[in-house]
Amino acid sequence: MYPGGAAGRVPVLKLGEVLLVTIQGDLHDSTAEQLQQDLSETIARSGATGVVIDISGVEIVDSFLGRVLAEIAAQSALLAARTVVVGMRPAVAITLVELGLTLPGLRTALSTEQAMDLLTGPSRLGGRRQESP
Amino acid sequence: MPEHAADGTFVNPTGEVRDFLRRRREQIAQRWADEPLFRTVFTVSRDEAVEAAKAVVDALAEVADAARVEDPDAAGFSSVREQLGRMGTARSRAGLSAGQISSELASLRLPLENPLLADLQEAEAPEGHVRACMTTLTVLIGTLRVVVMQTALSEGQALIDRQRLQLLEVATPVIKLWDGIVAVPLIGTLDSARSQVVMETLLEAVVEQQARYAILDITGVPTVDSLVAQHLMKTVAAARLMGAECIVSGIRPAIAQTIVHLGLDLGTVVTRAGLADALAYALHKLGAGIVADADLR
């Protein structure tokens, strides 16, 4: 998917104070670990206050990915950034619950828009447009 | 297979019973048609009952011919299996218990016993052979009982399966209460299969309607035990993972007491007494409120 040296890397996008990660398809163990590392480095470098992980493209989940999500949330919290997981599919949610991974420390949202609202302060009813610098 | 051995002794009780059934087919059918089992099932005409009885006699003779009197799966029964099943179902619909149907079937033996005994005595059969024939007859009728019970039971099971499926389809509607608020009114006992369906339909609705609040109303759930509570917790946790908040409503005072007595921890779940309270909570969280219109008062 990604040519050259960046093979198997998930891109981390920066939107103002928020980092946006979109995971498409199945995440390999090595890619997940790479992402974990990239995220912590980017947070430290940019001073981001929020991380949005969009997993609406993930159809299959295992206990490893569940743990990776929990660890990303924990390490981001250490770097003063809040993590929101977005767009989890019903089947994935059921699988995680059946695995016993309820991920209590993790914030969740239905859409990226809601996640942005959640991270950039309390908003009124409806989606507020995000003004990016 | 000769009925009697060359020297005139009696050696084959199964064959003896088979020949007896074929010889007396008409007479047995007439007497069976008067038995309650046939009389009450085939009510259109007596001839119908006689025909049905003949079919059963033929089947028994065929089973005896194949020397499989103890085998309820014998090929001979296959032709009358459906008819026997219908008879069993009709009798149980008339309010008879399985035991009563069974004893009605057992009473079919009596009309066979005396003629067989008479025939054997006429042929001056030795006592051992008479006894063997009687045993064969008893076993044959016993197998017939098993066949009827098997058929009736499997029909009952099919009915139960069908109704369970219907219940799954009917009992889990997801209702949209407001933009971003969906509710599932749960009715009846929650078992694993049902709660799985509830969970899936609720989560699908959450995605489809982008609902931030999902209300699980358990007003119609008669009892809450640890299993039901566990199912509720799982649904709540799954909804939370997707970014929706779950509210459990309709907890009646008795159920609240049960939950506390069982020591179940619903601490992480938002609970409300009624559906209205839950809706008010969700609306409040969405930033919407219900205000009385001064002009309408």
Side-chain angles (χ1 to χ4, degrees):
Chain A
M1 208 194 291
Y2 310 104
R9 256 204 172 134
V10 180
V12 178
L13 312 176
K14 189 167 179 297
L15 285 171
E17 296 284 278
V18 176
L19 299 179
L20 178 62
V21 179
T22 305
I23 299 174
Q24 290 288 349
D26 299 337
L27 196 64
H28 290 285
D29 291 3
S30 56
T31 324
E33 276 170 356
Q34 183 67 50
L35 170 67
Q36 221 173 324
Q37 202 179 326
D38 286 355
L39 260 178
S40 56
E41 277 167 15
T42 318
I43 295 169
R45 196 172 57 239
S46 67
T49 58
V51 178
V52 175
I53 305 174
D54 185 346
I55 58 164
S56 55
V58 177
E59 287 180 40
I60 297 167
V61 79
D62 56 9
S63 53
F64 178 78
L65 188 59
R67 210 189 74 207
V68 166
L69 289 176
E71 282 179 5
I72 289 177
Q75 74 189 27
S76 307
L78 284 176
L79 297 165
R82 294 185 294 170
T83 308
V84 183
V85 171
V86 166
M88 193 182 290
R89 287 171 182 241
V92 173
I94 292 173
T95 309
L96 282 180
V97 169
E98 294 294 343
L99 287 171
L101 292 166
T102 53
L103 308 176
L106 207 65
R107 259 169 284 252
T108 51
L110 282 167
S111 61
T112 324
E113 198 176 19
Q114 269 180 33
M116 289 299 198
D117 279 354
L118 199 67
L119 288 173
T120 52
S123 74
R124 286 168 230 332
L125 181 61
R128 188 166 51 92
R129 189 178 298 161
Q130 180 70 32
E131 302 281 306
S132 37
Chain B
M1 232 191 299
E3 187 185 332
H4 301 156
D7 57 356
T9 50
F10 302 84
V11 288
N12 184 4
T14 316
E16 180 83 53
V17 168
R18 175 200 62 205
D19 292 338
F20 161 75
L21 285 169
R22 285 186 177 157
R23 202 163 56 235
R24 302 280 193 138
R25 176 170 178 263
E26 192 70 34
Q27 189 194 345
I28 296 168
Q30 290 289 343
R31 294 189 62 177
W32 273 5
D34 291 329
E35 289 287 327
L37 186 64
F38 283 93
R39 204 181 59 224
T40 51
V41 173
F42 301 96
T43 47
V44 179
S45 69
R46 194 168 182 281
D47 288 346
E48 195 194 3
V50 173
E51 281 308 310
K54 273 183 193 164
V56 177
V57 177
D58 289 345
L60 289 181
E62 201 185 320
V63 171
D65 189 37
R68 292 170 69 183
V69 287
E70 286 175 16
D71 182 9
D73 296 323
F77 283 123
S78 60
S79 58
V80 286
R81 200 174 283 275
E82 194 228 359
Q83 181 197 322
L84 291 172
R86 220 167 53 231
M87 285 161 63
T89 324
R91 290 309 276 157
S92 66
R93 273 207 201 115
L96 268 73
S97 70
Q100 283 168 317
I101 298 172
S102 178
S103 60
E104 274 193 357
L105 278 161
S107 68
L108 293 182
R109 190 167 55 100
L110 213 59
L112 296 182
E113 223 169 49
N114 291 335
L116 178 61
L117 213 54
D119 281 9
L120 287 169
Q121 271 162 2
E122 203 177 299
E124 293 175 351
E127 201 180 320
H129 183 66
V130 174
R131 209 161 39 235
C133 285
M134 284 306 167
T135 313
T136 309
L137 186 65
T138 311
V139 170
L140 195 57
I141 294 293
T143 314
L144 181 68
R145 280 160 85 173
V146 172
V147 171
V148 173
M149 286 300 147
Q150 259 180 356
T151 320
L153 277 180
S154 67
E155 279 193 6
Q157 193 56 45
L159 181 72
I160 292 172
D161 288 347
R162 218 162 41 237
Q163 287 181 340
R164 184 180 294 151
L165 269 181
Q166 286 172 350
L167 203 63
L168 279 183
E169 290 165 4
V170 169
T172 51
V174 179
I175 303 158
K176 179 181 172 184
L177 290 182
W178 204 262
D179 273 344
I181 306 175
V182 291
V184 187
L186 297 175
I187 315 275
T189 315
L190 276 181
D191 57 10
S192 301
R194 270 200 69 203
S195 60
Q196 190 72 23
V197 173
V198 168
M199 195 194 271
E200 278 167 23
T201 46
L202 179 69
L203 298 186
E204 292 291 346
V206 163
V207 178
E208 204 173 291
Q209 317 216 5
Q210 289 287 300
R212 289 171 66 173
Y213 294 91
I215 301 173
L216 278 169
D217 187 75
I218 58 166
T219 313
V221 179
T223 51
V224 170
D225 55 13
S226 50
L227 202 66
V228 173
Q230 199 192 352
H231 290 317
L232 286 177
M233 300 285 274
K234 273 187 188 171
T235 311
V236 171
R240 200 193 64 82
L241 280 177
M242 291 177 51
E245 189 178 346
C246 240
I247 305 152
V248 178
S249 76
I251 301 182
R252 278 170 282 135
I255 285 181
Q257 280 184 17
T258 318
I259 289 174
V260 173
H261 281 177
L262 287 172
L264 304 172
D265 183 21
L266 291 179
T268 54
V269 183
V270 180
T271 53
R272 286 294 181 269
L275 185 59
D277 300 325
L279 178 60
Y281 169 83
L283 281 173
H284 173 73
K285 289 284 250 179
L286 277 176
I290 299 169
V291 250
D293 192 335
D295 297 340
L296 290 176
R297 261 190 288 179

